[in-house]
Amino acid sequence: MSLYSAKVQCFGCGKAVDKSATFTSLNAARDLRYQCPGCYIKNKDDILGTNKIPEAVKREFFCGRCKYKFKSKASLCPYCSKQDQVLEQVHSVKDLL
């Protein structure tokens, strides 16, 4: 006994994907469209479906109070738990010259 798995085309990347592994949504014309998991994660919308939710990126910081360099998504020092003397480090070519 073999199970039949239908292939559908992803509207984001155009690849043929197994129908059971896709996410479905309706477009403006009320037609059903399929999206592969890779495109779904990359183009994830918020609850209303209008704005993309940006991923938080880790940045480099320096705490002047405890002289601690760290990478974090927030500007709170993990060593002293304060943010009054935390500075974001900017790396550019001008800094190296």
Side-chain angles (χ1 to χ4, degrees):
M1 179 182 200
S2 65
L3 296 175
Y4 178 72
S5 61
K7 298 280 185 180
V8 292
Q9 186 176 4
C10 173
F11 78 92
C13 61
K15 294 181 184 176
V17 185
D18 188 18
K19 190 174 183 178
S20 63
T22 59
F23 295 93
T24 58
S25 62
L26 296 174
N27 62 2
R30 297 293 218 187
D31 295 329
L32 192 62
R33 59 184 185 178
Y34 299 97
Q35 195 172 18
C36 69
C39 292
Y40 176 76
I41 291 171
K42 189 171 27 173
N43 300 324
K44 197 171 190 179
D45 294 339
D46 66 353
I47 295 171
L48 299 176
T50 54
N51 297 330
K52 292 182 181 176
I53 301 170
E55 294 183 17
V57 179
K58 284 190 174 183
R59 298 174 297 184
E60 291 186 16
F61 293 102
F62 176 76
C63 180
R65 179 185 305 277
C66 55
K67 310 281 192 274
Y68 187 67
K69 286 173 60 174
F70 61 97
K71 289 184 181 181
S72 177
K73 295 177 184 177
S75 63
L76 184 68
C77 178
Y79 193 74
C80 66
S81 299
K82 298 191 181 190
Q83 64 182 19
D84 59 342
Q85 293 186 11
V86 174
L87 302 172
E88 183 175 359
Q89 292 185 335
V90 179
H91 299 289
S92 67
V93 176
K94 290 181 180 180
D95 294 339
L96 298 175
L97 294 177

